[in-house]
Amino acid sequence: MTSTNDHDLAIWLAEQAGAELLEVRRAGLEGKALKDAGDAASQAVLARLLAEYRPEDAVLSEEAADDSARRSARRVWIIDPLDGTREFSEPPRDDWAVHVALWEDGDLVAGAVAQPALGETFSTARPATVPPRTDGPMRIAVSRSRPPAFVDALAAKTGAQLVPMGSAGVKVMSVVRDLADVYVHAGGQYEWDSAAPVVVARAAGLFTSRADGSALEYNRDSPWLPDLLVCRPEFADEVAAFVRDHGDDS
């Protein structure tokens, strides 16, 4: 890695971890053993490289103990070494990801979401261009296992089509990739689930907020950040208003 640019570093980190995860997947493990090996291997890669290339920065990771010193740090890398562990453990599924984001002085400033099995990385270094929307029903990306209950009511009211898929990052990237128009979640998440997808989505011109339309905040005392809305800007008011009225049905 020769570039000192945070955007380029985020891509490289996510892709290095992704390459390691593909190697783990080829090792013949199954089930929980594969999940655990993937989590550990990707965390090891990211921890080692961040310590080497950004030794002064703090890190918040799903797979490491939370260091409270990050709350007073100016720069914090928020990482999810393996988003979609279940999908990772079910080859040849490709709907899992690696998240790498940088929070600096109060907001997210750079990030990358790698989908290694898809051979794609989405980043703030090279923001995606979301094409103009074509005619048809609103497409809502939802969890294939834990969709919030109010989403069915939202789909019924708007005539939307529900598009089930795996990890949180993959669902956000589905909006970036124009495979969906909206991702709304209210079933519980942490900062590492959404930080990298959110900063990448913002760079692509998409709307991002809490599910009710309020502002997202990162590097807080608790990393619990249970809900999320990422969508084309034209759907933001309608979906957020629906969540405010019906969000208790989550």
Side-chain angles (χ1 to χ4, degrees):
M1 179 65 189
T2 57
S3 173
T4 58
N5 182 290
D6 289 323
H7 302 274
D8 291 336
L9 179 62
I11 295 172
W12 185 71
L13 291 170
E15 291 183 344
Q16 292 297 302
E20 183 68 16
L21 284 164
L22 291 175
E23 286 297 318
V24 170
R25 225 185 188 194
R26 286 191 281 265
L29 299 173
E30 296 181 351
K32 187 177 186 301
L34 179 54
K35 294 177 183 179
D36 291 348
D39 285 335
S42 187
Q43 170 65 25
V45 168
L46 292 173
R48 174 175 56 82
L49 294 177
L50 282 168
E52 180 177 355
Y53 289 93
R54 292 295 186 270
E56 302 302 317
D57 295 350
V59 180
L60 173 63
S61 171
E62 179 177 15
E63 301 301 329
D66 187 6
D67 182 355
S68 61
R70 68 176 171 79
R71 290 294 289 117
S72 58
R74 285 192 55 245
R75 289 166 50 95
V76 181
W77 292 90
I78 304 176
I79 62 174
D80 189 345
L82 176 50
D83 178 57
T85 309
R86 174 180 173 180
E87 288 74 23
F88 172 77
S89 71
E90 299 175 357
R93 294 193 71 98
D94 61 21
D95 50 345
W96 51 277
V98 178
H99 297 179
V100 177
L102 174 63
W103 176 96
E104 182 175 11
D105 293 333
D107 206 357
L108 301 172
V109 297
V113 176
Q115 287 187 240
L118 193 65
E120 295 279 358
T121 302
F122 307 91
S123 76
T124 54
R126 297 183 288 274
T129 299
V130 181
R133 186 173 182 273
T134 56
D135 293 336
M138 180 195 302
R139 300 163 297 169
I140 305 176
V142 295
S143 170
R144 65 189 183 111
S145 59
R146 301 182 304 277
F150 69 79
V151 170
D152 286 332
L154 174 60
K157 178 181 178 181
T158 61
Q161 172 189 358
L162 300 183
V163 187
M165 60 186 74
S167 78
V170 167
K171 287 191 279 286
V172 175
M173 291 308 100
S174 75
V175 185
V176 172
R177 297 170 62 201
D178 192 30
L179 302 176
D181 302 304
V182 174
Y183 170 46
V184 59
H185 178 81
Q189 287 182 345
Y190 291 87
E191 291 186 12
W192 47 74
D193 291 307
S194 65
V198 160
V199 73
V200 170
R202 286 177 182 172
L206 296 170
F207 175 86
T208 68
S209 73
R210 298 285 298 268
D212 64 359
S214 58
L216 290 160
E217 296 181 9
Y218 291 88
N219 197 36
R220 300 165 306 149
D221 288 336
S222 169
W224 178 246
L225 188 55
D227 52 83
L228 177 65
L229 171 60
V230 177
C231 64
R232 288 176 175 269
E234 59 265 36
F235 292 121
D237 290 343
E238 179 181 13
V239 175
F242 189 92
V243 171
R244 290 193 295 271
D245 291 340
H246 302 276
D248 290 341
D249 302 326
S250 60

